[in-house]
Amino acid sequence: MDKVLVTRDIPKNGLDMLKREFEVYVNPYDRNMTKEELIEKIEDVFAVIPMVSDKIDKEVIDRAKKLKIIANYGVGINNVDIEYATKKGIFFTNTPGVLTQSTAELGWALIMACARRIVNSDSFTREGKFTGFAPTLMLGKELYNARIGIIGMGRIGSSVARMARFGFNMDVVYYNRSISDKELIVDTGKIELDELLKTSDVIILTTPLNNESKHLISKREFDLMKSDVVFVNIARGEVVDTDALIDTLRSGKLFACGLDVYENEPDFDKRLLEFDNCVLLPHIGSATIKTREKMADIVANNVISAYQNRCPEFVVNREALCAAEK
Ligand code: NAP
């Protein structure tokens, strides 16, 4: 029986589908696999199902003698050396679409938590400090009619935009590498990045990590922002220069910042813990039961398609490897 390696336990529905066709090894530990473990286990598998936190680089790919598909459990694609996988004729797939809503909702949870100081207020109450209604207690920022700047107007960005416009009557502006085909959803238009930074009350990052977006938000960009902005990153940690973020937080400039993702996960910069106007989440953008089950279905289907010599539905290197089905 051919083998499949799953680097973290995924919902049962996906594993059950895979077990009908393959011998499945699931990392038994409640932590990511180390590179050494990955290299050892990947040697003779037909498929690997990595998490977006597993780096599948040239060295790992070279150790995989029978690998035909890397089926990422996530939409992000920056953890895999796609060019090298493609050169080796290995399918690379992801799970787009099914996590759009859950991730956008998490983005909104962070915006709201930041704007209304939800985490501080919860701690305050639990610590027994609530002694009665007070007119100046935990004052936050109102979102109604405010401007939200969305950086990366794709599936997730446009879903955040829809909630902003129809839920909070916000003035939605966006910056994207190209003109987004999603802008009609909220009848808005692309503006220059600097203009977005200078004028937005809330800024949210929803762009993939790629060469152009690495450290897209650095000192210069933080300097351009309004002094009481709510800044949220649900994209990838590397889109933000963490040193610049920390300097900006130290200067007291941001009203609040909400992060779901970090540079160098999971070893995020512990200086962030200094700031009680930061809400720090452990990369849970798509973490709803429904979404994670759908993602498990998709990765299993992607692997099974490859096994049956069909082009998987969500293949990233389609152009190179599915010529007949372009
Ligand atoms: P998507 O539909 O492909 O949207 C991405 C948008 O960003 C596209 O409109 C794209 O436009 C734009 N873009 C790409 N590179 C850019 C750049 N350098 N500067 C500005 N805009 C750029 O992807 P999605 O499904 O919305 O997901 C977006 C990202 O969110 C994922 O790649 C992943 O990293 C992150 N994510 C995080 C979580 C989490 O758990 N926190 C969960 C899911 C996804 P072009 O047409 O120019 O390419």
Side-chain angles (χ1 to χ4, degrees):
M1 223 178 187
D2 283 290
K3 295 180 182 172
V4 174
L5 166 62
V6 188
T7 68
R8 289 299 293 252
D9 198 11
I10 63 171
K12 190 174 171 308
N13 55 304
L15 290 178
D16 286 347
M17 285 166 72
L18 290 167
K19 281 176 185 166
R20 277 181 226 127
E21 310 271 355
F22 302 98
E23 183 183 327
V24 180
Y25 175 85
V26 182
N27 168 17
Y29 306 110
D30 188 20
R31 58 160 174 80
N32 286 5
M33 291 178 80
T34 63
K35 187 158 189 176
E36 291 68 37
E37 289 168 340
L38 195 57
I39 279 175
E40 188 204 320
K41 289 288 176 199
I42 209 167
E43 189 116 45
D44 60 346
V45 300
F46 170 83
V48 60
I49 297 179
M51 306 301 116
V52 291
S53 46
D54 295 313
K55 218 170 161 39
I56 309 293
D57 57 15
K58 188 171 180 298
E59 190 188 352
V60 174
I61 293 172
D62 273 338
R63 294 298 286 265
K65 303 290 178 242
K66 294 184 169 178
L67 195 65
K68 282 287 171 296
I69 176 166
I70 302 165
N72 242 19
Y73 189 77
V75 66
I77 57 174
N78 53 287
N79 60 312
V80 172
D81 187 336
I82 306 174
E83 210 180 308
Y84 194 61
T86 307
K87 213 165 129 189
K88 297 278 246 178
I90 299 168
F91 287 123
F92 174 48
T93 61
N94 66 345
T95 63
V98 293
L99 41 60
T100 298
Q101 192 60 22
S102 49
T103 309
E105 286 179 14
L106 196 273
W108 266 100
L110 272 175
I111 294 171
M112 297 291 288
C114 286
R116 297 304 302 272
R117 306 179 63 182
I118 298 296
V119 177
N120 300 144
S121 298
D122 178 81
S123 305
F124 182 87
T125 311
R126 287 171 192 273
E127 287 161 15
K129 294 178 181 163
F130 177 43
T131 55
F133 170 86
T136 55
L137 180 64
M138 295 291 170
L139 298 185
K141 268 176 75 88
E142 204 148 311
L143 298 169
Y144 190 76
N145 279 347
R147 171 172 277 200
I148 184 168
I150 298 172
I151 300 179
M153 188 68 151
R155 288 172 291 241
I156 296 169
S158 59
S159 181
V160 169
R162 200 181 299 115
M163 291 184 239
R165 172 62 55 81
F166 302 115
F168 295 86
N169 200 40
M170 291 179 91
D171 173 23
V172 178
V173 293
Y174 81 91
Y175 169 74
N176 201 69
R177 197 167 48 174
S178 54
I179 300 282
S180 169
D181 60 357
K182 307 278 194 305
E183 64 181 35
L184 294 176
I185 292 173
V186 288
D187 185 24
T188 183
K190 179 181 170 185
I191 63 171
E192 290 308 316
L193 180 60
D194 287 7
E195 179 69 9
L196 180 152
L197 298 169
K198 281 182 203 163
T199 61
S200 296
D201 303 297
V202 175
I203 294 172
I204 182 163
L205 305 185
T206 51
T207 169
L209 174 63
N210 49 37
N211 290 339
E212 294 108 311
S213 65
K214 165 120 178 137
H215 285 188
L216 183 67
I217 306 299
S218 292
K219 180 179 178 338
R220 191 192 79 87
E221 288 71 29
F222 281 117
D223 285 349
L224 289 176
M225 291 178 195
K226 284 184 167 185
S227 60
D228 60 348
V229 70
V230 167
F231 176 76
V232 168
N233 185 8
I234 56 168
R236 283 290 179 265
E238 291 78 4
V239 179
V240 178
D241 176 345
T242 309
D243 285 335
L245 170 62
I246 287 168
D247 286 347
T248 309
L249 282 161
R250 284 204 172 128
S251 76
K253 180 167 180 168
L254 303 182
F255 182 81
C257 120
L259 305 176
D260 185 41
V261 286
Y262 307 86
E263 287 196 273
N264 202 25
E265 286 181 22
D267 297 322
F268 71 97
D269 194 322
K270 301 300 179 292
R271 290 176 297 169
L272 289 166
L273 300 172
E274 287 171 28
F275 306 102
D276 71 356
N277 60 339
C278 271
V279 179
L280 306 176
L281 304 183
H283 200 149
I284 55 166
S286 65
T288 67
I289 296 163
K290 189 171 160 186
T291 291
R292 291 287 163 87
E293 285 180 354
K294 284 187 185 166
M295 288 165 69
D297 264 347
I298 290 180
V299 290
N301 275 320
N302 283 338
V303 170
I304 291 165
S305 296
Y307 194 59
Q308 295 170 346
N309 288 317
R310 289 184 289 117
C311 191
E313 188 178 356
F314 296 104
V315 65
V316 177
N317 47 8
R318 179 179 299 276
E319 290 241 332
L321 301 186
C322 304
E325 299 184 42
K326 256 187 238 176

